[in-house]
Amino acid sequence: MSNEEYKNIAQYLAAAEVEKREVVKVTAEMKPDLSVEEGYLIQQELVNLKLNEGKRIIGPKMGLTSQAKMTQMNVDEPIYGYVFDYMLIDNGGTVSLNQLIHPKVEAEIAFIIGEDIEGPGVTGAQVLAKTEYVLPALEIIDSRYENFNFTLPDVIADNASTSRVVFGTALKRPEQYELDLVGATLSINGEIKELGAGAAVLGHPANSVAMLANMLSRKGEKVRKGDVILTGAITSAIMFHQGDFISGKFDGLGEVSFTVTE
C-alpha cells in the first residue's frame, strides 16, 4: 500500500467518528489482505490527522490484554491505540449518546508514568519503579465498524476503538497496592454487571505497560514521562443506554462514574 492509501483509509475512519456513523470494515472491501503492520501505519495516519487538528495525546491505551481475548483473536500480544484530550470526561460527568455510535464501557487501572520507559526487554517491575501514580478509570470503546465486526488489523487501524475515558480523581502510589489483586466492580444504576481483578490484565497491569514499551521500541518510540496509560480491561465491556448511571468501584483506588445523556 502507498502512503496515499493509508491516508485515505485514515480519513475514512476519521469521518466515521466525526459523523457518528458505522462503516464497513476495511478488510471487507478496501483492503481484504490488510496486515497488522499496515493497520498500525493507518493508525499513525489517523493519529497525525488528529494532531494536525490541534488535538493532544494524553497517552497510549492497551487492548486485548486478557488471555481469553488474545486466544479469541489468535494473537500472542495485545494491541495499542491512543487517548486524546477531547476524549476525556470528568469523573461524575456526563456522556452524550448522540456523540457516539454504539458505545460500551469497561473498568481499567490507569498508570501515570514518572520517567521515560524504553524497550526492548522492559519488565513489569521496571514499570512499577517508574510509575508515579495509579488511578481507576472507565474506558468507553466505540468501534466505528458495523456491529463491532472487525478483524485484528481493522481494529488497530481504528485506533483500537478508543472513544471516551473517565479517570478517577484519587491518585495512589503503586507501591501501596498489590495491583494484580485489586478487585473492581462495574455497575449500571446500582446493579453490578461485571467484576474482575487486576490480574485479568496479563497477570498484572504493570506487565501491560512493559509490553507496550517493548512494542513501541520496534519503531524507535518509548513510553514517555507524563503519559497516562490505560492498561486494559479488568471487566468485560457492556453496553449502556440513555439515563444510565455507570459506576466503577476499585478496591483501595476509589470510584469513577458518569451519567448517560441523550
Side-chain angles (χ1 to χ4, degrees):
M1 284 175 69
S2 67
N3 286 344
E4 198 61 35
E5 287 176 293
Y6 295 138
K7 289 178 181 178
N8 289 341
I9 296 173
Q11 288 166 346
Y12 168 76
L13 294 171
E17 180 183 359
V18 170
E19 296 165 16
K20 296 98 179 171
R21 60 179 174 82
E22 296 178 312
V23 294
V24 175
K25 62 186 178 183
V26 176
T27 56
E29 297 174 3
M30 300 177 78
K31 180 67 174 170
D33 60 346
L34 187 72
S35 68
V36 165
E37 292 75 18
E38 289 172 326
Y40 277 115
L41 290 171
I42 294 167
Q43 183 192 105
Q44 187 58 57
E45 292 295 342
L46 188 62
V47 167
N48 291 343
L49 277 174
K50 295 178 187 295
L51 292 173
N52 290 338
E53 292 167 353
K55 298 177 172 68
R56 182 173 61 86
I57 293 174
I58 300 299
K61 53 89 42 117
M62 292 290 275
L64 301 184
T65 50
S66 77
Q67 193 57 54
K69 281 189 178 180
M70 283 193 282
T71 300
Q72 179 187 352
M73 298 297 285
N74 194 30
V75 295
D76 56 9
E77 67 181 10
I79 62 173
Y80 62 84
Y82 292 90
V83 175
F84 284 82
D85 52 354
Y86 75 92
M87 299 176 175
L88 299 183
I89 303 294
D90 290 340
N91 190 10
T94 60
V95 170
S96 176
L97 274 185
N98 66 22
Q99 296 299 307
L100 304 170
I101 302 169
H102 40 204
K104 299 179 181 180
V105 61
E106 52 195 27
E108 307 200 17
I109 295 173
F111 280 42
I112 299 178
I113 305 303
E115 299 178 43
D116 288 357
I117 307 173
E118 191 165 4
V122 176
T123 67
Q126 290 170 324
V127 167
L128 287 171
K130 294 186 175 184
T131 298
E132 193 165 13
Y133 299 108
V134 293
L135 66 162
L138 295 176
E139 183 185 6
I140 298 164
I141 56 173
D142 192 28
S143 172
R144 271 53 72 171
Y145 299 122
E146 289 179 344
N147 303 315
F148 270 84
N149 178 21
F150 48 71
T151 67
L152 186 68
D154 283 308
V155 69
I156 291 169
D158 189 34
N159 194 26
S161 303
T162 316
S163 177
R164 298 289 185 274
V165 181
V166 189
F167 289 116
T169 50
L171 305 181
K172 307 288 187 178
R173 295 289 298 172
E175 62 269 17
Q176 294 177 303
Y177 302 92
E178 293 183 67
L179 293 173
D180 54 333
L181 301 181
V182 169
T185 59
L186 183 57
S187 301
I188 297 184
N189 304 323
E191 180 182 348
I192 294 175
K193 298 292 187 180
E194 291 287 339
L195 67 162
V201 182
L202 297 172
H204 192 293
N207 294 336
S208 176
V209 181
M211 193 165 283
L212 171 65
N214 294 331
M215 292 170 74
L216 288 175
S217 73
R218 296 175 197 161
K219 56 180 186 178
E221 297 181 10
K222 59 186 174 182
V223 172
R224 298 182 180 278
K225 177 181 179 179
D227 279 348
V228 185
I229 298 175
L230 290 171
T231 55
I234 290 176
T235 65
S236 295
I238 54 175
M239 296 198 78
F240 53 82
H241 304 90
Q242 183 180 339
D244 283 345
F245 175 73
I246 315 294
S247 172
K249 295 182 179 179
F250 298 72
D251 295 342
L253 299 183
E255 183 174 358
V256 58
S257 67
F258 65 90
T259 301
V260 185
T261 61
E262 186 177 353

Short mmCIF file of all heavy atoms in Angstrom, two decimals, residues 122-131 204 206-207 210:
data_model
loop_
_atom_site.label_atom_id
_atom_site.label_comp_id
_atom_site.label_asym_id
_atom_site.label_seq_id
_atom_site.Cartn_x
_atom_site.Cartn_y
_atom_site.Cartn_z
N VAL A 122 11.81 -4.56 28.67
CA VAL A 122 11.24 -3.94 29.88
C VAL A 122 10.40 -4.97 30.63
O VAL A 122 9.67 -5.76 30.04
CB VAL A 122 10.37 -2.72 29.51
CG1 VAL A 122 9.71 -2.13 30.75
CG2 VAL A 122 11.21 -1.66 28.81
N THR A 123 10.47 -4.94 31.96
CA THR A 123 9.69 -5.84 32.81
C THR A 123 8.65 -5.06 33.60
O THR A 123 8.73 -3.83 33.74
CB THR A 123 10.60 -6.56 33.81
OG1 THR A 123 11.14 -5.60 34.73
CG2 THR A 123 11.74 -7.30 33.11
N GLY A 124 7.68 -5.79 34.15
CA GLY A 124 6.67 -5.16 34.98
C GLY A 124 7.26 -4.47 36.19
O GLY A 124 6.82 -3.39 36.60
N ALA A 125 8.29 -5.07 36.78
CA ALA A 125 8.94 -4.47 37.96
C ALA A 125 9.57 -3.13 37.60
O ALA A 125 9.50 -2.16 38.37
CB ALA A 125 9.98 -5.43 38.52
N GLN A 126 10.18 -3.06 36.43
CA GLN A 126 10.78 -1.79 35.98
C GLN A 126 9.71 -0.72 35.76
O GLN A 126 9.91 0.45 36.07
CB GLN A 126 11.59 -2.01 34.70
CG GLN A 126 12.86 -2.83 34.93
CD GLN A 126 13.52 -3.25 33.63
OE1 GLN A 126 12.84 -3.54 32.64
NE2 GLN A 126 14.85 -3.27 33.61
N VAL A 127 8.57 -1.15 35.24
CA VAL A 127 7.46 -0.21 35.04
C VAL A 127 6.98 0.35 36.37
O VAL A 127 6.78 1.56 36.53
CB VAL A 127 6.29 -0.90 34.29
CG1 VAL A 127 5.02 -0.05 34.37
CG2 VAL A 127 6.66 -1.17 32.85
N LEU A 128 6.80 -0.51 37.35
CA LEU A 128 6.33 -0.06 38.66
C LEU A 128 7.30 0.94 39.28
O LEU A 128 6.88 1.92 39.91
CB LEU A 128 6.13 -1.25 39.60
CG LEU A 128 4.90 -2.12 39.30
CD1 LEU A 128 4.93 -3.39 40.15
CD2 LEU A 128 3.61 -1.34 39.54
N ALA A 129 8.59 0.72 39.09
CA ALA A 129 9.60 1.62 39.64
C ALA A 129 9.54 3.00 38.98
O ALA A 129 9.98 4.00 39.58
CB ALA A 129 10.99 1.02 39.48
N LYS A 130 9.00 3.06 37.76
CA LYS A 130 8.95 4.34 37.04
C LYS A 130 7.53 4.90 36.93
O LYS A 130 7.27 5.82 36.17
CB LYS A 130 9.54 4.15 35.63
CG LYS A 130 11.03 3.84 35.66
CD LYS A 130 11.63 3.80 34.27
CE LYS A 130 13.14 3.60 34.33
NZ LYS A 130 13.79 3.67 33.00
N THR A 131 6.61 4.32 37.69
CA THR A 131 5.23 4.80 37.71
C THR A 131 5.01 5.71 38.89
O THR A 131 5.32 5.34 40.03
CB THR A 131 4.24 3.61 37.77
OG1 THR A 131 4.41 2.81 36.59
CG2 THR A 131 2.80 4.10 37.84
N HIS A 204 -0.80 -8.92 35.62
CA HIS A 204 -0.56 -7.70 36.43
C HIS A 204 -0.58 -6.52 35.47
O HIS A 204 0.06 -6.57 34.41
CB HIS A 204 0.79 -7.80 37.14
CG HIS A 204 1.00 -6.76 38.19
ND1 HIS A 204 1.11 -5.41 37.90
CD2 HIS A 204 1.12 -6.86 39.54
CE1 HIS A 204 1.28 -4.73 39.02
NE2 HIS A 204 1.29 -5.58 40.04
N ALA A 206 1.01 -3.82 35.36
CA ALA A 206 2.34 -3.32 35.01
C ALA A 206 2.92 -4.10 33.84
O ALA A 206 3.70 -3.55 33.04
CB ALA A 206 3.27 -3.38 36.20
N ASN A 207 2.55 -5.38 33.70
CA ASN A 207 3.04 -6.17 32.56
C ASN A 207 2.52 -5.61 31.24
O ASN A 207 3.18 -5.71 30.21
CB ASN A 207 2.60 -7.62 32.71
CG ASN A 207 3.24 -8.31 33.89
OD1 ASN A 207 4.31 -7.90 34.35
ND2 ASN A 207 2.59 -9.36 34.40
N ALA A 210 4.72 -2.70 30.35
CA ALA A 210 6.01 -3.24 29.90
C ALA A 210 5.91 -3.73 28.47
O ALA A 210 6.79 -3.45 27.63
CB ALA A 210 6.45 -4.37 30.82
#
